[in-house]
Amino acid sequence: MNLTHVEHIGIAVKNLDESIKYYENILGLKCYAIEEVKDQKVKTAFFMAGQTKIELLESTESDGPIGKFIEKKGEGIHHIAFAINNLAEGLKEIEAKGIQLIDKVPRQGAEGLNIAFLHPKSTNGVLTELCEHPE
Ligand code: ZN
């Protein structure tokens, strides 16, 4: 297992445009990209705070994962993402140790990253994403 750093922190928001205003006008960060990830039914906005990336997530449909999350828990921190060197291998290793996976094989996430989620039931309640930068 080789996690190199926290790749980003994912935050569920009801309204992306309103939330971007807070990050830009109050915190003084700059939104450098907005991207829709269709299979996750989300629109994402990205910021860099120094070396740390923040990902805002707005649901594009109420039955999407972020829509359901907000309905249950309200807005707030949704997941933490770690960068990993070999995602496919890491997932096998993690599963072999008895951790419940949401994604057994990597899939395509925002910014062209290969991603997979670990189930919060196995991770002390923290939805955990692993990201691999493609070669
Ligand atoms: Zn993420």
Side-chain angles (χ1 to χ4, degrees):
M1 189 67 47
N2 189 359
L3 298 187
T4 54
H5 58 283
V6 173
E7 217 285 331
H8 61 269
I9 296 164
I11 299 172
V13 301
K14 285 182 182 163
N15 183 311
L16 204 59
D17 294 334
E18 286 302 315
S19 304
I20 287 171
K21 280 185 205 158
Y22 164 71
Y23 282 87
E24 291 198 327
N25 300 341
I26 309 297
L27 298 186
L29 303 176
K30 181 90 193 87
C31 176
Y32 69 87
I34 291 180
E35 184 182 341
E36 188 170 343
V37 183
K38 285 228 163 80
D39 78 317
Q40 283 297 293
K41 300 177 180 175
V42 291
K43 211 162 93 180
T44 60
F46 290 100
F47 302 83
M48 290 302 297
Q51 300 178 330
T52 305
K53 189 192 293 176
I54 306 288
E55 173 187 46
L56 303 184
L57 303 134
E58 179 197 73
S59 195
T60 53
E61 287 168 54
S62 57
D63 68 339
I66 294 298
K68 285 185 198 156
F69 176 88
I70 288 177
E71 197 183 292
K72 248 165 77 178
K73 299 188 174 175
E75 293 182 300
I77 293 181
H78 179 257
H79 65 271
I80 183 163
F82 296 101
I84 185 170
N85 283 333
N86 187 330
L87 179 55
E89 205 173 276
L91 287 174
K92 278 184 201 147
E93 204 179 313
I94 289 165
E95 192 175 28
K97 289 176 179 169
I99 300 296
Q100 194 180 333
L101 306 181
I102 293 175
D103 302 298
K104 295 203 175 207
V105 292
R107 60 187 168 81
Q108 178 109 71
E111 297 195 305
L113 299 178
N114 299 320
I115 65 157
F117 282 96
L118 313 183
H119 201 288
K121 273 184 196 157
S122 294
T123 58
N124 308 101
V126 179
L127 178 61
T128 301
E129 178 181 359
L130 301 177
C131 308
E132 176 191 49
H133 286 264
E135 300 304 309

